Amino acid sequence: MILLLVAAVLGGTFLAWSAQAGSVPPPGHRHGHEAVGGRSGLGSVDLKGWAKEQIASDKERRAQPRPKTAVSPTAARSGAVTAVRQAGFVRAAAAADPTTLVLYDTAGPYGRLGELYAMAAANLAGHFGTVTAKPVQQYTAGMIGSYTAVIYIGSTYYCCDVPDAIPAAFYQDVSTSTKPVIWMGANIWNMANSVGTAQFTQRYGWDPTSSYYEDGGSVGTVTQVTYRNQTLTRKIPAGQDGGVLRPNILTGPGYPEVTRLAEGLDSSNGHTFGWAVRSANLTYVGEIPFAYVSESDRVIAAEDLLFDALAPATAERHRAMLRLEDISPASDPAELRTMADYLYAQKIPYGVNVIPVYKDPKGTYNNGTAQTITLVQRPQVVSALKYMLARGAVLMDHGYTHQYGNVANPYNGVTGDDFEFYRAHVDSADNVVYDGPVAEDSALWAQGRVAAALTQFTLAGLPKPALWTTPHYAASAADYKVFSSNFSARLERSLYFSGTLGGNSAGPNAFIGQFFPYVVKDVYGTKVLPENIGNYEPEAFNNHPARLPADLVASAKANLAVRDGFASFFYHPYYPTQPLKDTVDGIKALGYTFVSPTSL
């Protein structure tokens, strides 16, 4: 049961049953998974075409004659990490409610990527305060002064056949302002050309007009990013990597010092470079790190960099969170009590994700006979749930039936295996493919499912669940808003759909998937609690690798790079207790403190 943005894309959180000593999974829990989005974390997006176009444009820009500037032709690329001169950089510590302006591209054949990436950035900024997002074309002179910080997402490469859509006023305001600006991806060279390369280099200490995505004739294979003493992964499939800009950092008299905040490694040639650099008010990230992410991915660096711009006085703090997953009327009450006893002894609060109605419409696990079980029909399961609640658990709602009708969606129609609010199928390459919201999807339909679920909890004598987790983390934008109107928060990864910001949807299956390292208020206006390191899964499934306790602990270690972040994961109680103990012990040893989901 329960990736990517974003998607891990979002992977690695797929559940496949493994016969373990003393552990027999209940019916309906042999194909469950909780993931987000496609392999990239983006729905209905041709990233191969986008990457090809970006590389071609960069080649053409490189081949164009460069105007003479004040930049010394002998200026060398700096191989050392240097300290930044902070003059002109306004810290945001005093802002009680930091405000962020997110600007994004809409022009060009891949213009719809801009809104998807902007939603990912806006969601992260929603951790700190209020966010305004708009196409960069709508920027007007002086607008930067109304915000604590600005994030620009350069997803359209303005060059050659695609004219620059960024107002000159934005370039000018960035170059003269003291407000923090985070710039991701393309077009920083156009700013230098607009304000003058000499002016840019003398303020920022590097030359974007001589910085490119290629190194030695190709974009190489950038496989890792080192940030705040953590090694983060970067895994982009061949043909879909548009590259990372390699900043030409200048040295010598007259150039300010530049901080290489994060180091990229090109494993094809061993070269390192500034994946993220900062000087004066500008933080530049050489790519948009919201596609092909994982639980230990370089997106973690971008997630933490926002603190510098929006809350630099934030103290170091690392919290952990656990939920037990896919509990239904078909669950084994003895296994639930065993988990409760262990977690209570460890003084670990946790969530219990309960599906109130179990369905097996085709009798997949019941000898061909259809089966429906409610909580009322399983008083021993209800008793075990009450036992857990009395020992530190928080009741959470995980859908109504966690399946859809009597069809395979995508597996067999069984609770816990299938999607409830979204359609999907498994393709010939064994990938789960997202097809779009269910046919009858609407706010009214979703509310009916939620109301029916809540009724089942009441009939069983259980309290109203405090939180919600969407089955398989997939629903429509309308559904997510319904869930949040019924619960104080969602604890999950989510899909964010085209049209949410700009009103013009690219289609019902155009989305970006994302998970978070901290609590956010997302672009739907709802509170989302983090789940960012996945789950224990002893076998590979749907082309996602197994995830063992060591993998979850490694992801928790990578997330230490977020100065005030979480290691949040889930576990299926039909697995033995030992892998859970190993995971908990490993996370604790890293310095994380477990907290209750309802404390956030």
Side-chain angles (χ1 to χ4, degrees):
M1 284 249 358
I2 287 200
L3 122 301
L4 153 144
L5 161 265
V6 74
V9 203
L10 271 170
T13 58
F14 285 75
L15 165 67
W17 172 61
S18 173
Q20 309 238 340
S23 175
V24 178
H29 290 80
R30 301 182 187 182
H31 296 289
H33 65 277
E34 304 294 353
V36 171
R39 314 304 292 184
S40 66
L42 294 161
S44 304
V45 173
D46 177 18
L47 281 180
K48 183 174 289 187
W50 170 83
K52 183 178 180 180
E53 181 173 279
Q54 170 147 307
I55 293 170
S57 295
D58 205 54
K59 285 180 181 289
E60 186 169 345
R61 178 173 70 92
R62 190 168 200 155
Q64 293 173 349
R66 293 184 59 229
K68 292 183 179 181
T69 70
V71 179
S72 168
T74 60
R77 294 176 184 269
S78 172
V81 179
T82 57
V84 67
R85 185 172 64 184
Q86 290 293 341
F89 185 78
V90 172
R91 293 295 187 178
D97 183 19
T99 56
T100 306
L101 174 63
V102 176
L103 299 171
Y104 59 96
D105 297 322
T106 58
Y110 298 95
R112 65 191 177 109
L113 266 176
E115 183 190 25
L116 298 178
Y117 290 143
M119 287 190 288
N123 287 335
L124 294 174
H127 171 69
F128 301 91
T130 57
V131 184
T132 299
K134 58 181 59 185
V136 69
Q137 298 98 307
Q138 296 179 13
Y139 184 87
T140 57
M143 191 178 288
I144 193 173
S146 300
Y147 298 90
T148 306
V150 175
I151 302 172
Y152 166 65
I153 309 294
S155 59
T156 296
Y157 197 120
Y158 296 125
C159 172
C160 322
D161 296 331
V162 183
D164 193 351
I166 301 176
F170 178 61
Y171 293 141
Q172 187 63 35
D173 285 354
V174 172
S175 69
T176 58
S177 176
T178 57
K179 294 296 183 71
V181 175
I182 298 175
W183 190 303
M184 297 183 182
N187 306 316
I188 189 68
W189 49 86
N190 288 335
M191 175 180 162
N193 286 327
S194 179
V195 303
T197 306
Q199 178 178 327
F200 187 100
T201 58
Q202 288 164 13
R203 184 173 194 205
Y204 296 116
W206 64 285
D207 181 10
T209 68
S210 58
S211 301
Y212 304 98
Y213 291 93
E214 290 192 347
D215 178 14
S218 77
V219 297
T221 309
V222 180
T223 55
Q224 75 177 41
V225 172
T226 303
Y227 176 74
R228 297 192 79 219
N229 300 316
Q230 299 300 329
T231 299
L232 310 175
T233 60
R234 184 180 185 271
K235 299 178 181 179
I236 313 294
Q240 300 194 34
D241 190 353
V244 185
L245 194 77
R246 322 292 175 100
N248 181 13
I249 298 175
L250 306 172
T251 59
Y255 297 122
E257 293 181 321
V258 178
T259 294
R260 283 166 59 160
L261 298 164
E263 291 289 295
L265 170 66
D266 186 341
S267 61
S268 69
N269 55 26
H271 293 175
T272 61
F273 61 94
W275 183 86
V277 299
R278 178 182 299 142
S279 51
N281 67 321
L282 179 65
T283 298
Y284 177 75
V285 179
E287 65 170 325
I288 305 168
F290 295 134
Y292 288 109
V293 305
S294 71
E295 291 84 355
S296 303
D297 187 78
R298 86 287 193 201
V299 73
I300 292 169
E303 292 164 343
D304 183 74
L305 284 172
L306 269 63
F307 283 94
D308 290 339
L310 294 164
T314 301
E316 194 86 10
R317 178 173 56 166
H318 302 288
R319 290 172 285 178
M321 196 158 56
L322 164 67
R323 73 172 193 262
L324 299 181
E325 191 78 345
D326 287 346
I327 298 169
S328 80
S331 294
D332 183 340
E335 291 174 346
L336 300 182
R337 288 175 179 268
T338 297
M339 289 287 169
D341 288 341
Y342 161 67
L343 293 170
Y344 182 68
Q346 294 295 309
K347 296 182 172 58
I348 294 177
Y350 59 101
V352 286
N353 248 352
V354 179
I355 310 159
V357 175
Y358 171 86
K359 284 183 174 290
D360 182 355
K362 298 181 179 182
T364 300
Y365 303 127
N366 194 41
N367 298 316
T369 301
Q371 188 176 34
T372 297
I373 311 172
T374 67
L375 285 171
V376 170
Q377 295 170 319
R378 289 292 188 268
Q380 288 183 315
V381 172
V382 174
S383 176
L385 288 172
K386 291 179 178 179
Y387 183 83
M388 299 172 95
L389 296 180
R391 287 160 178 77
V394 171
L395 186 63
M396 300 169 55
D397 189 349
H398 196 26
Y400 176 37
T401 63
H402 203 313
Q403 52 82 241
Y404 177 68
N406 60 359
V407 300
N409 189 38
Y411 302 112
N412 49 31
V414 179
T415 289
D417 284 7
D418 279 15
F419 291 73
E420 181 172 350
F421 294 89
Y422 217 79
R423 293 306 308 270
H425 71 276
V426 179
D427 66 13
S428 59
D430 197 31
N431 298 310
V432 175
V433 178
Y434 286 55
D435 299 319
V438 299
E440 62 270 54
D441 182 66
S442 69
L444 183 63
W445 178 81
Q447 181 59 51
R449 305 288 293 184
V450 172
L454 293 177
T455 295
Q456 291 298 319
F457 285 106
T458 299
L459 291 174
L462 291 167
K464 178 184 175 181
L467 303 167
W468 168 274
T469 299
T470 305
H472 286 345
Y473 291 163
S476 70
D479 297 341
Y480 285 123
K481 292 175 183 177
V482 167
F483 305 150
S484 296
S485 70
N486 286 271
F487 302 91
S488 61
R490 308 192 317 268
L491 196 172
E492 61 184 20
R493 308 178 178 195
S494 304
L495 305 181
Y496 295 94
F497 289 86
S498 168
T500 299
L501 300 180
N504 296 316
S505 174
N509 204 36
F511 60 75
I512 187 167
Q514 192 175 16
F515 53 90
F516 309 108
Y518 34 61
V519 180
V520 305
K521 182 178 181 182
D522 68 9
V523 294
Y524 298 144
T526 59
K527 184 178 181 180
V528 184
L529 309 186
E531 184 279 281
N532 62 328
I533 66 170
N535 67 297
Y536 169 72
E537 174 41 58
E539 291 187 359
F541 199 75
N542 288 135
N543 294 314
H544 288 271
R547 280 184 67 79
L548 303 178
D551 298 308
L552 272 69
V553 173
S555 292
K557 182 178 185 300
N559 275 274
L560 288 172
V562 180
R563 67 198 70 181
D564 185 13
F566 281 79
S568 178
F569 70 105
F570 61 95
Y571 194 87
H572 295 84
Y574 49 77
Y575 283 127
T577 307
Q578 189 59 49
L580 177 60
K581 292 179 178 178
D582 294 341
T583 304
V584 168
D585 289 346
I587 290 174
K588 280 184 173 181
L590 292 171
Y592 285 92
T593 300
F594 279 85
V595 298
S596 171
T598 54
S599 69
L600 306 178

